Amino acid sequence: MKKVQQGFTLIELMIVIAIIGILAAIALPAYQDYIVRSRVSEAIVALDAAKVTVAENAANGLAFGNGYNPGLATTNIANPPSINSANGAITVVTGSKAGNVTITMTPGDGTLSTALSIGSPPANQIVWGCSIANAANYKYVPANFRQTTPALN
């Protein structure tokens, strides 16, 4: 009688473990970047609240930061959004768990080259340009924030 082989050989098991190891080596760094990106999204939401304040105050001819409450620092936001009183630019800095990303959004009157001015309502739609302080942090922010001159409404 012929004996039938059952189970896997040692070499087959080692090949499967090697494949799993290679997949894990590729997936873990991508997953870590994804986690940081999700933490940066908290700062983006905080920026949106400040954008509403700047737009409302610009439309009413008031100082850009009038009535704005920046809130408190969190695990993901080291410095809550601050509004520059001269030009309405909003800056937020994320915490170390969120990649230490500094995001600045600058408003413009119709175009980014036309700055808003205090006391004069904008003649056109307000457009927002975004800049990231360190180009190495681009991978942590949404795609539309990676350009320096997008019109973000």
Side-chain angles (χ1 to χ4, degrees):
M1 287 193 96
K2 193 172 185 181
K3 189 173 183 181
V4 178
Q5 177 184 356
Q6 293 180 335
F8 297 105
T9 64
L10 180 61
I11 192 72
E12 291 171 332
L13 291 173
M14 290 176 66
I15 290 171
V16 169
I17 290 173
I19 291 171
I20 291 171
I22 291 169
L23 291 174
I26 294 169
L28 285 176
Y31 178 72
Q32 290 171 341
D33 286 349
Y34 172 76
I35 293 296
V36 172
R37 242 182 274 131
S38 68
R39 291 178 181 271
V40 169
S41 68
E42 182 179 339
I44 302 299
V45 170
L47 276 172
D48 285 341
K51 283 172 52 177
V52 170
T53 300
V54 170
E56 182 72 23
N57 287 338
N60 292 319
L62 302 172
F64 297 120
N66 190 27
Y68 175 65
N69 180 6
L72 301 173
T74 66
T75 303
N76 299 324
I77 301 176
N79 296 334
S82 61
I83 299 174
N84 182 323
S85 59
N87 63 1
I90 307 164
T91 302
V92 65
V93 180
T94 64
S96 60
K97 287 185 176 182
N100 293 317
V101 180
T102 302
I103 303 169
T104 303
M105 297 200 66
T106 308
D109 186 359
T111 66
L112 293 176
S113 59
T114 308
L116 296 180
S117 59
I118 298 173
S120 160
N124 301 299
Q125 180 180 8
I126 296 176
V127 294
W128 293 89
C130 179
S131 62
I132 310 300
N134 185 355
N137 291 332
Y138 278 13
K139 63 183 177 180
Y140 298 136
V141 297
N144 57 343
F145 281 70
R146 294 179 191 156
Q147 303 169 358
T148 55
T149 58
L152 304 173
N153 296 314

